[in-house]
Amino acid sequence: MDRIRNGLARLKQKLRGSGNPTVAKIRRQRALRNRVWQGLPYIRVLLFTVGYLWLLVIPSPRLGQGTYIDENALQPGQVNTYWNWGDVHRADRILADLEQLRDRNASSDEIAQYAVKEFEKYGIPARKQHYSFDTVGEVINGTNAYAVLQAPRASGTEAIVISASWLSRTGEGDGTLNLRGVSTVLALASYLKKYSLWAKDLVFVISDGYLDGMQAWITTYHGETQPNMKADPLNLQSGVIWTALNVDYPGHSFSHLGLFFEGLNGRLPNQDLMNSFSLISRYTGGVPVVVYDHVDPREDRSRPSLLPSWLPGPVKENRDVQEFASRARNIYRHMNYQARGAASGVHGLFHQFRIDAFTLYAVPATGPHGFHAIGRVLESTLRTCNNLLERLHASFFFYLLVAPSTFMKIGSYLPSVVLVGTAMLFSGLGEWVNAGWKSHSADTPETQDAKVAKVAPRADSPRWKRRSRPVLQPIVIMVLTHMLGALLFLLVSSSLPQIYGPVLFLVFSVIPLAFQTIPPAPATHASIPSVLKAFNLCFASALVSITSVLNFSLAAALAVFLGIPLTAASPSPTASRPARLGKYAAYSALALGWLVLCPEEIRRAVWNWDVLRVWFAPFVCVVYVPLVLQAGLVCLLPS
């Protein structure tokens, strides 16, 4: 025991060193700070590398886990279904009527009137709702039809919505009609009216257009208003909507049922609802489920391979590589919807009111399924939703659905973006420290206090001198660039970008050049660009980290487009003016190039903002563009 005690004492003395313990402690702290500071560039590179590599391996088959049901009350697939061929015949008859309306180019009001008459024929109260949206370049008019089947066994304080839009989501609402989806909902209403087992109201909605009709209906239902929307009040009301199912059946028959689940501004439904539907579809309806309309080429050899043709045969036939490609396709499409804040279907409009919803999409094929299979699946899914005693809350709201029966928890993918944000934060803090200190060589003064002299660095080592940091000018630049972004959004949302895009690109690239008139900081102060870069990186880091929880896909896009470019921006005291202008031009292209290259995407983003209140367009203009322009100014301004 004494040996151990003596050994610990010697080790402690060795760590402390000889001499004054306080001086030794100060030296150790200085050595640790110097070691961390010297290793900071390597730490940043490591964080960036791990973060970006993590993003790339998210589709790996080694990650993720099987889906499961958390809410015991759901009991999916535990009931007998009674949808039969007589109901299929009724759906066929309704389809024939809808085809006649299509062939004679019936108006929206005529189609809605037909749906109302069908609902009333079944003994379900129904009404029409006229609406209009005043958007950039056009006025959208339409008519919705809706009906409310009161719950015979409850007070009607909760409701389930079954909907179908007149236009299918095929081609993102390119004009393909959803006739069989509408037929399914109308026939289902007639069938469900015969049963008294419902504990919740059933609300049937036939919405006009693709997304605009349901936006008008759901917004009016919840008593909300939009400045550019006019809609009739709803004469029929029900209770709080807990769940919603949207039916999209554009083809003659289908081979798979696809899941579309992304909502506005990156919202997702509770996973239990989709997991229940997947189980019911496979085991009750006998219909395989896919994510979106992505049928795996391994199941259908007629579909093209997901892998490039130049890959060697053994690699293309490797199961892990094929699974990686399949998951990567699903994740890419999910991120494409979520990052832009776009809804992947009509269901996405419900999420803004805390309603769990998804679209079941009948993937067009020559067979083997039709009205009979989709009716059984819908009946059993509605019975499952009818079992709920409270809102869905037990399962996940943050996830990546990489396959129909496989998902990733938030802890499996979130660190990738957080690591990139941390690397940006370290870069910003490093710039702030560099801006506040300047190294120079000097001998140790002989008049120093004895204690200070004992811990002073060697005479031949570099010494650091504190200098003032100009804070006001960088803050003014940041505020003005964000105001410039707000002006850009106002112009983009009130004009035709496909015509004025190149003009806006030139104008908003040139305006920031006016910041060159700001007088440089005195020689004894840090340069304005260095402080601007520190603020820019710290703000961008906070933005990426916070957004990663709210909308992971948008945060991942920001990490890619902001991480390396903002870190690489640096003041160039010795660079010539043409070189600085060249760097600024590159950052201007990164910030504003979409004005020239993506006119169709701009039109969609502006339409989504006008009609659906999607924040993607203002976010890009007011947040993303100013941040990149600030990085360009770091390279441009004299230091």
Side-chain angles (χ1 to χ4, degrees):
M1 197 66 176
D2 292 337
R3 288 183 178 179
I4 296 175
R5 194 177 292 112
N6 293 334
L8 291 176
R10 286 195 299 270
L11 178 62
K12 188 175 181 180
Q13 182 63 31
K14 186 176 181 181
L15 291 175
R16 280 184 174 180
S18 57
N20 192 328
T22 304
V23 175
K25 182 179 180 181
I26 294 174
R27 284 176 175 160
R28 288 197 303 271
Q29 290 177 347
R30 285 183 174 178
L32 179 61
R33 285 198 301 267
N34 290 336
R35 186 66 61 88
V36 172
W37 181 252
Q38 292 170 2
L40 186 60
Y42 303 101
I43 295 174
R44 293 201 303 261
V45 171
L46 178 63
L47 290 172
F48 274 125
T49 303
V50 174
Y52 287 131
L53 287 178
W54 198 323
L55 280 173
L56 292 176
V57 302
I58 284 177
S60 171
R62 308 300 177 187
L63 300 176
Q65 64 183 86
T67 57
Y68 55 92
I69 306 295
D70 266 315
E71 180 57 70
N72 293 326
L74 285 170
Q75 297 295 307
Q78 301 300 308
V79 298
N80 293 323
T81 56
Y82 302 100
W83 174 272
N84 56 40
W85 291 103
D87 303 300
V88 173
H89 177 70
R90 182 181 297 107
D92 285 329
R93 180 189 58 78
I94 295 172
L95 176 62
D97 293 341
L98 293 177
E99 287 175 341
Q100 290 181 4
L101 291 171
R102 176 202 62 191
D103 294 340
R104 64 185 179 86
N105 199 23
S107 65
S108 298
D109 193 70
E110 291 177 296
I111 297 169
Q113 185 61 39
Y114 171 81
V116 168
K117 287 183 178 180
E118 285 294 315
F119 285 127
E120 291 177 340
K121 186 191 300 183
Y122 310 144
I124 305 175
R127 296 290 187 275
K128 294 188 298 183
Q129 182 201 30
H130 300 281
Y131 69 89
S132 66
F133 287 95
D134 186 9
T135 66
V136 176
E138 64 174 338
V139 176
I140 303 172
N141 296 290
T143 307
N144 298 322
Y146 65 100
V148 179
L149 174 60
Q150 298 289 338
R153 299 180 57 189
S155 59
T157 54
E158 294 98 24
I160 302 171
V161 171
I162 308 100
S163 67
S165 58
W166 181 248
L167 295 181
S168 169
R169 69 153 317 283
T170 303
E172 307 296 336
D174 63 358
T176 303
L177 298 182
N178 184 27
L179 298 182
R180 289 178 177 267
V182 174
S183 304
T184 301
V185 172
L186 292 174
L188 196 66
S190 172
Y191 169 75
L192 298 178
K193 178 68 169 63
K194 298 184 295 185
Y195 296 93
S196 60
L197 48 83
W198 303 109
K200 297 174 177 58
D201 289 355
L202 299 180
V203 181
F204 303 92
V205 183
I206 307 299
S207 59
D208 201 3
Y210 174 44
L211 296 175
D212 47 281
M214 183 56 73
Q215 174 69 4
W217 186 86
I218 194 66
T219 302
T220 307
Y221 187 92
H222 288 88
E224 301 289 336
T225 59
Q226 283 184 215
N228 63 336
M229 183 189 79
K230 295 180 181 178
D232 295 342
L234 302 181
N235 297 322
L236 297 177
Q237 286 282 352
S238 182
V240 178
I241 301 173
W242 280 7
T243 56
L245 306 178
N246 183 64
V247 183
D248 201 321
Y249 183 3
H252 178 272
S253 55
F254 60 94
S255 59
H256 298 73
L257 285 176
L259 278 169
F260 287 84
F261 51 93
E262 289 84 4
L264 300 180
N265 296 314
R267 299 182 181 93
L268 299 176
N270 188 277
Q271 201 182 94
D272 267 347
L273 181 63
M274 297 187 299
N275 294 344
S276 300
F277 162 76
S278 296
L279 289 173
I280 291 168
S281 180
R282 285 196 296 267
Y283 298 110
T284 299
V287 184
V289 177
V290 294
V291 181
Y292 310 119
D293 51 359
H294 294 164
V295 178
D296 198 323
R298 290 173 292 180
E299 298 179 17
D300 185 356
R301 294 296 181 181
S302 63
R303 296 181 179 269
S305 173
L306 301 177
L307 299 170
S309 58
W310 48 263
L311 282 177
V315 175
K316 293 174 65 175
E317 294 172 3
N318 184 278
R319 291 185 178 181
D320 286 344
V321 174
Q322 293 174 346
E323 181 66 18
F324 184 94
S326 176
R327 293 187 178 195
R329 178 173 63 164
N330 293 335
I331 292 173
Y332 173 78
R333 190 162 181 182
H334 167 74
M335 288 188 168
N336 190 30
Y337 285 127
Q338 193 180 42
R340 294 184 294 118
S344 58
V346 174
H347 67 277
L349 309 181
F350 289 88
H351 297 171
Q352 58 189 315
F353 298 104
R354 181 56 184 88
I355 301 170
D356 297 301
F358 69 94
T359 291
L360 54 102
Y361 178 76
V363 181
T366 55
H369 305 292
F371 281 130
H372 188 265
I374 200 171
R376 295 183 64 200
V377 171
L378 283 168
E379 178 190 359
S380 186
T381 304
L382 290 171
R383 292 284 299 274
T384 294
C385 295
N386 190 57
N387 292 335
L388 284 175
L389 302 176
E390 55 186 338
R391 285 186 183 272
L392 289 169
H393 65 279
S395 190
F396 299 94
F397 287 96
F398 301 98
Y399 51 86
L400 287 178
L401 194 66
V402 297
S405 57
T406 308
F407 78 104
M408 293 181 64
K409 295 181 179 179
I410 187 171
S412 301
Y413 59 84
L414 187 68
S416 59
V417 170
V418 174
L419 288 174
V420 175
T422 304
M424 297 172 67
L425 178 63
F426 283 180
S427 299
L429 295 178
E431 289 294 330
W432 176 255
V433 172
N434 281 333
W437 295 86
K438 185 177 182 180
S439 64
H440 68 97
S441 298
D443 294 334
T444 304
E446 297 179 357
T447 59
Q448 286 179 331
D449 180 79
K451 184 177 179 180
V452 177
K454 290 181 181 179
V455 299
R458 296 190 305 270
D460 59 346
S461 64
R463 299 201 58 206
W464 295 91
K465 181 180 180 182
R466 187 186 295 274
R467 60 179 177 179
S468 299
R469 304 180 183 95
V471 174
L472 181 61
Q473 297 94 324
I475 290 179
V476 169
I477 292 174
M478 294 182 70
V479 170
L480 291 179
T481 51
H482 286 285
M483 292 175 63
L484 190 65
L487 176 61
L488 173 63
F489 171 67
L490 291 176
L491 294 176
V492 167
S493 61
S494 60
S495 63
L496 300 177
Q498 55 266 41
I499 298 176
Y500 300 111
V503 176
L504 291 175
F505 172 79
L506 291 175
V507 170
F508 282 85
S509 296
V510 171
I511 289 178
L513 297 177
F515 289 117
Q516 295 181 97
T517 59
I518 296 178
T524 56
H525 290 55
S527 66
I528 294 175
S530 60
V531 178
L532 176 61
K533 180 180 179 180
F535 288 168
N536 177 254
L537 282 169
C538 290
F539 180 56
S541 168
L543 178 70
V544 170
S545 301
I546 294 171
T547 308
S548 65
V549 180
L550 304 175
N551 187 332
F552 171 76
S553 301
L554 180 58
L558 291 174
V560 171
F561 287 102
L562 296 182
I564 298 298
L566 266 58
T567 306
S570 59
S572 305
T574 60
S576 62
R577 182 176 175 80
R580 298 203 309 265
L581 285 173
K583 291 182 180 179
Y584 173 77
Y587 280 96
S588 296
L590 180 62
L592 300 164
W594 49 271
L595 287 169
V596 179
L597 301 176
C598 308
E600 182 60 27
E601 186 61 38
I602 295 172
R603 186 195 64 79
R604 288 183 188 176
V606 171
W607 191 92
N608 284 340
W609 165 254
D610 280 342
V611 178
L612 309 178
R613 290 299 179 239
V614 174
W615 283 90
F616 181 66
F619 181 87
V620 169
C621 293
V622 182
V623 179
Y624 168 76
V625 170
L627 286 174
V628 181
L629 287 179
Q630 290 162 23
L633 290 172
V634 168
C635 300
L636 176 65
L637 296 179
S639 56

